[in-house]
Amino acid sequence: MLVDSSSTRDNIIVKPLMASAKKAGLEVHPYTFRADKGRIPAYANDFNDMMDIFYHQVKVDGLFTDFPDKAVEFLNQH
């Protein structure tokens, strides 16, 4: 709901919902980020890339994942 499904690796399209939520003063924590095969969207190379897109381009405040070890590792590196 935050990234348009027509996005590509070179063109991430953030949907208006994100701006609306921020304008309303809300924090955004999408769910559920998974590293399983078939769960990485086509616009991301892998789990870390997906996290990078959501934290640095979409600008979420946090997120929910079934892979907290991978999320913590990503956050510690960035």
Side-chain angles (χ1 to χ4, degrees):
M1 295 175 67
L2 297 175
V3 175
D4 193 285
S5 61
S6 67
S7 293
T8 64
R9 290 182 177 123
D10 297 326
N11 184 30
I12 301 299
I13 303 166
V14 180
K15 289 186 162 187
L17 178 62
M18 188 63 185
S20 296
K22 290 299 185 172
K23 185 175 180 181
L26 300 174
E27 289 189 0
V28 178
H29 294 84
Y31 65 92
T32 299
F33 286 71
R34 301 196 48 89
D36 309 83
K37 182 178 179 182
R39 298 301 300 260
I40 306 297
Y43 56 78
N45 293 320
D46 54 26
F47 186 78
N48 281 344
D49 190 37
M50 179 172 57
M51 300 272 292
D52 187 65
I53 290 166
F54 276 83
Y55 273 109
H56 298 119
Q57 293 183 50
V58 181
K59 302 206 183 289
V60 298
D61 299 293
L63 52 79
F64 292 89
T65 181
D66 291 336
F67 298 85
D69 56 326
K70 292 180 180 294
V72 168
E73 182 180 333
F74 170 82
L75 292 171
N76 284 337
Q77 292 176 359
H78 294 89

